[in-house]
Amino acid sequence: MQLYEELVARGLIAQVTNEEEISKLINEGKATFYIGFDPTADSLHVGHFMALCLMKRLQMGGNKPIALIGGGTAMIGDPSGRTDMRQMMTKETIQHNCDCFKEQMSRFIDFSEGKAMMVNNADWLLDLNYIEVLREVGAHFSVNRMLTAECYKQRMEKGLSFLEFNYMIMQSYDFYALYQKYGCNLQFGGDDQWSNMLGGTELIRRKLGKDAHAMTITLLLNSEGKKMGKTQKGAVWLDPNKTSPFEFFQYWRNVDDADVIKCLKMLTFLPLDQIKEMESWEGSELNKAKEILAYELTSLVHGEDEAKKALDAAKGLFGGGNTENMPTAEIGMDAFRDGKVDLITLLVKSGLVTSRSEGRRAIEQGGVAVNGEKVVDIAAEFTPDAFEEEFILRRGKKNFRKVLLNK
């Protein structure tokens, strides 16, 4: 099976503008392609995971990735999928986030000489003047057509600012600039970016002639990726200081049964034949498939050593074994009142909840356990003796802390 056909078989491809040309380009390793990343935080999260894995797959096939950081468009804000206007960031914050992205992406992508690039669209967008944009770019866009784009519909209900209205033009200009500067002949993006991406392809052809071979492809990046990237507590980050390797492992270990095969296909580099064998797995075998998924992805992001530690810690939790590698939280004697510390305080200090009211609700709803035993008494208290041996605090099905007492 060739590379493009494998992407289709893994469920990654949603739409393409010219499948015959695009498949030939990818299979022959002649694609110089870009995927954009908005630097809205100082870490990537699992919603970006599909894009990173795709870039790695394509680079392994001889194609050249360009990771485009939206330092310029971040000053406007992408209206796609939003009902409110994005917070605008300073240049300093954007640059810091870009530096963090580069470090994390290097686990997936080889940025050595000539193999891949990271570029920032601020390098060309910030130099454009208003008259130039109107004359050289704006003339090629129909306002009527832009207003029919899916990315604007939700914002139109509450009011789309002129600032945000320009996002499609800026993203289209990105492809035009990358085509001219670096020979970028293919753009990838999520299915909610289709209109913006078509705008880029059309701009190149209008500016450079119909023979310009710039092509567009969309994947299930954003619709699936954004869903993957969110939990009840917020984003699952690739930065180990934000989401520990154990928590990252547990996130994938606890995916829905219906999603495990899909995630194995889209996100891991396991052979499709091996994954196909797992499609009939049920019960404990399906849990084994989730364990394989969690291990593969944790290894990809945090390295094999951390993946092994997370696996050992998970087995220790559920099999009564070693809990050495479980995430820990320390409390001091100052947390005790009259020789006792209450359960809600432990939940807050361990980081399993963000407030006492959230902790109280978690206990009342039966979602808190100590050493495997559910605790439903919001007034539950513990003396220092309770921490002499292991004190394992759990909230929900997958959030654990080993609480250590620092005397």
Side-chain angles (χ1 to χ4, degrees):
M1 185 183 296
Q2 291 188 288
L3 180 54
Y4 179 80
E5 287 68 33
E6 182 178 351
L7 298 180
V8 174
R10 287 183 179 273
L12 289 165
I13 306 300
Q15 299 180 82
V16 296
T17 52
N18 187 320
E19 186 166 52
E20 183 179 351
E21 286 192 56
I22 288 172
S23 62
K24 185 173 186 292
L25 200 65
I26 290 174
N27 289 337
E28 293 179 357
K30 294 180 180 179
T32 297
F33 67 96
Y34 94 89
I35 296 179
F37 299 83
D38 281 336
T40 52
D42 59 0
S43 173
L44 298 165
H45 56 71
V46 299
H48 299 110
F49 210 55
M50 203 179 297
L52 295 171
C53 292
L54 173 74
M55 295 174 87
K56 182 178 177 70
R57 290 185 206 280
L58 290 170
Q59 188 180 52
M60 289 168 64
N63 300 285
K64 183 177 180 178
I66 299 176
L68 178 66
I69 305 298
T73 41
M75 295 186 175
I76 296 175
D78 180 3
S80 301
R82 296 184 63 88
T83 56
D84 60 343
M85 187 168 164
R86 287 188 186 272
Q87 184 74 30
M88 285 184 281
M89 299 180 294
T90 66
K91 292 181 181 178
E92 292 75 20
T93 299
I94 291 171
Q95 185 57 53
H96 171 71
N97 294 350
C98 290
D99 294 340
C100 294
F101 279 19
K102 178 71 173 288
E103 182 179 351
Q104 292 176 358
M105 286 180 179
S106 295
R107 273 206 168 273
F108 296 80
I109 304 163
D110 181 0
F111 284 102
S112 59
E113 187 65 32
K115 292 185 178 180
M117 302 176 65
M118 173 178 278
V119 296
N120 189 333
N121 64 12
D123 294 344
W124 53 82
L125 292 182
L126 299 188
D127 290 337
L128 292 173
N129 65 60
Y130 189 60
I131 299 300
E132 182 182 2
V133 172
L134 290 177
R135 286 176 55 88
E136 301 299 322
V137 185
H140 298 290
F141 286 82
S142 161
V143 171
N144 288 350
R145 185 175 175 183
M146 290 172 71
L147 288 174
T148 65
E150 190 65 35
C151 62
Y152 290 136
K153 286 183 179 178
Q154 286 183 310
R155 293 291 293 122
M156 286 288 288
E157 295 176 6
K158 290 194 174 183
L160 177 71
S161 72
F162 184 69
L163 182 74
E164 294 170 292
F165 187 64
N166 280 271
Y167 191 90
M168 181 185 291
I169 294 176
M170 296 297 96
Q171 183 172 332
S172 299
Y173 190 86
D174 282 343
F175 193 20
Y176 172 68
L178 290 169
Y179 182 90
Q180 288 195 299
K181 289 175 177 287
Y182 308 113
C184 180
N185 51 20
L186 189 60
Q187 59 178 334
F188 284 77
D191 53 359
D192 63 349
Q193 295 289 315
W194 184 244
S195 297
N196 294 350
M197 294 166 66
L198 287 177
T201 298
E202 185 65 21
L203 178 62
I204 289 173
R205 290 175 178 167
R206 284 176 176 269
K207 295 281 289 181
L208 303 177
K210 293 183 179 180
D211 292 333
H213 288 287
M215 288 170 285
T216 300
I217 188 168
T218 73
L219 300 97
L220 300 177
L221 290 178
N222 288 355
S223 60
E224 293 292 335
K226 286 178 179 176
K227 182 177 73 174
M228 288 179 185
K230 300 294 183 182
T231 68
Q232 290 181 350
K233 293 187 67 181
V236 176
W237 304 99
L238 305 193
D239 183 344
N241 295 314
K242 290 177 175 286
T243 300
S244 72
F246 175 80
E247 291 170 317
F248 188 85
F249 181 96
Q250 284 298 103
Y251 172 77
W252 296 108
R253 173 61 182 78
N254 289 284
V255 297
D256 291 341
D257 290 355
D259 290 335
V260 62
I261 298 300
K262 179 165 58 178
C263 289
L264 282 164
K265 286 181 178 179
M266 290 181 170
L267 304 178
T268 76
F269 289 81
L270 295 175
L272 282 169
D273 288 345
Q274 183 180 345
I275 298 171
K276 187 173 180 61
E277 292 177 2
M278 302 182 202
E279 290 180 355
S280 61
W281 289 7
E282 297 179 352
S284 61
E285 283 189 324
L286 188 58
N287 287 332
K288 178 63 177 177
K290 293 182 181 183
E291 191 175 274
I292 292 170
L293 172 68
Y295 183 88
E296 290 293 323
L297 299 188
T298 305
S299 180
L300 188 60
V301 174
H302 299 295
E304 194 167 353
D305 286 346
E306 291 296 336
K308 288 178 179 176
K309 289 179 183 178
L311 177 61
D312 289 343
K315 287 183 175 179
L317 275 174
F318 301 108
N322 185 10
T323 59
E324 179 183 354
N325 295 307
M326 187 188 303
T328 61
E330 284 194 2
I331 61 167
M333 292 302 297
D334 59 343
F336 289 75
R337 296 289 181 270
D338 298 325
K340 295 180 180 180
V341 60
D342 65 90
L343 181 57
I344 295 176
T345 295
L346 290 174
L347 287 168
V348 173
K349 287 188 174 293
S350 66
L352 291 176
V353 299
T354 58
S355 66
R356 292 188 65 83
S357 59
E358 184 183 354
R360 186 178 297 107
R361 286 195 301 273
I363 296 169
E364 291 174 338
Q365 292 167 4
V368 175
V370 173
N371 294 332
E373 296 292 329
K374 184 183 294 186
V375 181
V376 294
D377 181 4
I378 61 171
E381 295 180 317
F382 303 89
T383 65
D385 292 343
F387 302 90
E388 292 294 332
E389 297 184 5
E390 284 190 339
F391 189 101
I392 308 299
L393 187 58
R394 174 173 62 84
R395 187 214 171 170
K397 292 182 178 180
K398 60 184 179 179
N399 297 306
F400 294 84
R401 292 292 186 278
K402 180 162 60 176
V403 183
L404 306 175
L405 176 57
N406 184 358
K407 295 183 178 180

